[in-house]
């Protein structure tokens, strides 16, 4: 037994890493994306176009309020965009998560309320989208003088319902 | 700090937290657990950390989400640091994790403000295992342990009985004075109930108890924060 313990010590296992492993857990994937962590990381990669657009955006107030000559072309923006791309990637990877986690820890009630409101917003947005779609179909059917077919959600019967008088 | 376990007991605003911070000034590697997230949030020269605790992780044992918090200590395994860790909930569980991390980090001082919130009194098995380990055998890993509480009875007796040094600030509650009787004679007990702020009776294993007034007016820490309350 003692020999086994000694072997454990000699094998190079790091007590800190053992402790760190047992006290921390990865961010829950569903918190950021319903898919795996790898996909979530890919989703937030800043590409060249974002960097160019950011550089152009910085000069846009000058172009609007001072002179149109301030407008930065894509070629000009590409002179700066590599550095902008690195900065934005760092911002997304490090500073924003740190700020959000600090804010969430300090203002637990507010962050929970914001999450709940965001959830309600997405639910309502889906409902409104569906209502608008149906209204558009009714308007179109009235114009064409054809029967009104209201689509149902996939959970219900797949057959459309005829509600025309 | 020259003891491995030091405790500070006293009523609110008697200067025990300020004294603990004063004693920590000479320590190279310090973790301070703050459960109140009030006056210590703006303390300068400290790295303020806000770990995000998920009680459901690790099969219900709880864990801190993300790598930022653990990475802070990973990068400072061989250098000085002063980390103020602010907790808002699950104090007992989070202190257990913090002690486990401290045992892995080694060679540091673990300070706990308001220990009653983290390790309240209870049966012997109510103290989380890593807290027990760091309190009773932390010195093997060169971990010093210090903390404050408003009453001795608020702190688990395993930690209390292992203290090498206790500073008694003003206490008026009868049970608290009874607890103090185990450490000092009646002449000091009569003083404990009427001690001015920042004055304490210090008891330790190595020397007889004495009244410590040496730091009155000298501890500047937290004074700026405390000023509005004094005015009111």
């Amino acid at each position: 037994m003692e020999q086994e313990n000694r072997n454990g010590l000699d094998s190079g296992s790091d007590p800190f890493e053992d402790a760190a492993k047992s006290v921390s857990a990865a961010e829950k994937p569903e918190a950021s994306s319903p898919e795996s962590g790898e996909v979530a990381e890919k989703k937030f990669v800043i590409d060249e176009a974002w960097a160019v657009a950011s550089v152009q955006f910085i000069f846009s107030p000058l172009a609007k309020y001072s002179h149109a000559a301030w407008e930065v072309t894509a070629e000009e923006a590409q002179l700066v965009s590599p550095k902008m791309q690195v900065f934005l990637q760092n911002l997304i990877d490090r500073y924003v998560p740190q700020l959000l986690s600090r804010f969430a820890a300090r203002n637990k009630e507010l962050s929970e309320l914001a999450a709940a409101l965001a959830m309600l917003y997405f639910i309502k947005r889906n409902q409104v989208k569906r209502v608008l779609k149906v209204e558009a179909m009714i308007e179109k059917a009235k114009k064409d003088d054809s029967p009104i077919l209201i689509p149902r959600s996939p959970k219900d019967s797949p057959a459309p319902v005829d509600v025309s008088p | 700090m020259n003891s491995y376990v030091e405790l500070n007991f006293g009523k609110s605003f008697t200067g025990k937290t300020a004294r603990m911070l004063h004693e920590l000034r000479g320590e190279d590697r310090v973790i301070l657990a703050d459960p109140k997230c009030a006056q210590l949030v703006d303390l300068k020269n400290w790295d303020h950390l806000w770990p995000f605790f998920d009680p459901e992780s690790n099969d219900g044992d709880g864990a801190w989400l993300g790598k930022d918090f653990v990475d802070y200590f990973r990068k400072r395994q061989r250098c000085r640091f002063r980390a103020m860790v602010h907790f808002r909930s699950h104090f007992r569980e989070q202190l257990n994790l913090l002690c486990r991390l401290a045992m892995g980090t080694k060679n540091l001082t673990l300070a706990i403000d308001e220990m009653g919130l983290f390790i309240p009194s209870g049966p012997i098995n109510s103290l989380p295992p890593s807290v027990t380990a760091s309190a009773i055998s932390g010195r093997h890993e060169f971990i010093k342990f210090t903390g404050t509480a408003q009453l001795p009875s608020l702190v688990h007796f395993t930690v209390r009985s292992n203290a090498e040094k206790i500073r008694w600030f003003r206490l008026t509650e009868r049970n608290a004075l009874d607890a103090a009787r185990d450490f000092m004679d009646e002449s000091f007990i009569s003083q404990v109930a009427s001690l001015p702020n920042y004055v304490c009776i210090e008891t330790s294993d190595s020397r007889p108890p004495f009244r410590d007034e040496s730091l009155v007016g000298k501890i500047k820490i937290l004074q700026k924060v405390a000023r509005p309350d004094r005015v009111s």
Side-chain angles (χ1 to χ4, degrees):
Chain A
M1 189 63 175
E2 189 181 351
Q3 188 61 37
E4 280 177 17
N5 287 339
R6 284 181 183 281
N7 289 342
L9 288 173
D10 295 340
S11 66
S13 67
D14 185 347
F16 177 81
E17 291 303 330
D18 293 343
K21 203 174 173 183
S22 67
V23 300
S24 61
E27 298 275 1
K28 287 181 177 174
E30 60 266 23
S32 55
S33 160
E35 296 157 18
S36 69
E38 278 183 27
V39 175
E41 279 179 17
K42 281 178 189 170
K43 197 175 174 182
F44 292 109
V45 169
I46 301 292
D47 60 10
E48 176 78 15
W50 273 92
V52 169
S54 302
V55 174
Q56 289 175 324
F57 176 75
I58 289 170
F59 282 86
S60 63
L62 285 170
K64 189 173 179 183
Y65 297 111
S66 175
H67 195 277
W70 277 105
E71 195 172 338
V72 176
T73 64
E75 290 76 23
E76 288 169 334
Q78 278 170 353
L79 297 171
V80 188
S81 63
K83 292 201 180 296
M84 177 63 82
Q85 192 175 359
V86 173
F87 167 73
L88 288 177
Q89 192 63 58
N90 220 12
L91 188 75
I92 294 293
D93 290 346
R94 286 180 54 196
Y95 300 124
V96 172
Q98 279 177 11
L99 273 175
L100 285 178
S101 63
R102 177 175 286 196
F103 180 83
R106 280 190 177 189
N107 306 286
K108 195 181 171 192
E109 294 81 9
L110 184 58
S111 58
E112 284 176 357
L113 173 66
L117 283 175
M119 185 74 77
L120 179 64
Y121 169 77
F122 283 113
I123 291 169
K124 291 300 291 179
R125 194 182 71 165
N126 287 341
Q127 288 175 353
V128 170
K129 262 186 180 176
R130 191 156 174 263
V131 168
L132 288 174
K133 197 175 174 183
V134 169
E135 285 177 355
M137 286 178 71
I138 291 170
E139 287 296 317
K140 193 182 173 190
K142 278 181 182 172
K143 281 181 187 172
D144 299 346
D145 211 15
S146 58
I148 301 169
L149 301 175
I150 298 178
R152 286 189 172 176
S153 62
K155 286 177 186 173
D156 302 332
S157 166
V161 180
D162 186 356
V163 294
S164 56
Chain B
M1 269 181 70
N2 49 16
S3 306
Y4 272 91
V5 180
E6 285 189 14
L7 303 179
N8 302 276
F9 295 127
K11 296 178 84 168
S12 189
F13 277 94
T14 49
K16 57 187 185 303
T17 302
R19 177 63 187 260
M20 182 177 74
L21 290 167
H22 180 79
E23 294 295 327
L24 290 172
R25 72 199 185 284
E27 300 298 317
D28 289 339
R29 295 157 60 83
V30 186
I31 302 175
L32 198 156
D34 167 36
K36 292 184 288 192
C37 302
Q39 58 180 350
L40 297 178
V41 166
D42 299 320
L43 203 61
K44 288 179 180 169
N45 301 321
W46 287 77
D47 298 326
H48 295 272
L49 307 174
W50 299 81
F52 193 83
F53 181 73
D54 177 26
E56 305 299 328
S57 295
N58 275 359
D59 299 327
D61 287 346
W64 291 306
L65 294 185
K67 295 185 292 184
D68 293 345
F69 181 64
V70 172
D71 278 349
Y72 175 88
F73 297 102
R74 183 176 282 119
K75 290 172 187 168
R76 289 166 177 79
Q77 290 189 65
R78 286 177 181 79
C79 64
R80 294 166 59 110
F81 65 85
R82 300 172 80 75
M84 180 93 67
V85 189
H86 302 283
F87 298 123
R88 278 196 173 277
S89 61
H90 300 90
F91 301 122
R92 188 169 165 274
E93 293 82 359
Q94 294 204 69
L95 183 66
N96 190 36
L97 298 187
L98 192 64
C99 286
R100 200 181 300 164
L101 193 63
M103 293 290 272
T105 308
K106 301 178 194 298
N107 189 21
L108 55 81
T109 302
L110 184 59
I112 302 167
D113 194 26
E114 298 299 350
M115 284 182 295
L117 295 173
F118 289 100
I119 44 173
S121 289
I124 195 162
N125 58 357
S126 67
L127 198 63
S130 297
V131 181
T132 309
S134 61
I136 66 174
S137 60
R139 67 165 57 193
H140 298 294
E141 309 294 348
F142 304 102
I143 293 175
K144 294 179 182 175
F145 196 96
T146 183
T148 70
Q150 296 193 1
L151 294 170
S153 56
L154 289 176
V155 181
H156 197 277
F157 77 95
T158 304
V159 173
R160 208 173 54 209
S161 58
N162 210 37
E164 291 173 50
K165 186 184 286 183
I166 301 179
R167 291 186 195 88
W168 305 84
F169 291 83
R170 187 169 63 252
L171 288 167
T172 51
E173 202 260 335
R174 197 184 56 174
N175 290 325
L177 294 174
D178 285 344
R181 266 191 190 88
D182 294 339
F183 298 88
M184 61 186 84
D185 58 40
E186 208 56 42
S187 61
F188 286 110
I189 293 292
S190 58
Q191 296 179 36
V192 168
S194 57
L195 286 172
N197 292 344
Y198 298 102
V199 178
C200 64
I201 306 291
E202 185 175 304
T203 60
S204 73
D205 295 348
S206 56
R207 58 185 171 190
F210 67 97
R211 179 176 169 128
D212 185 2
E213 298 185 7
S214 60
L215 294 174
V216 176
K218 293 180 182 172
I219 301 179
K220 305 295 181 190
I221 306 165
L222 298 182
Q223 278 192 348
K224 191 180 169 187
V225 183
R227 198 169 297 137
D229 293 339
R230 287 183 186 171
V231 172
S232 64

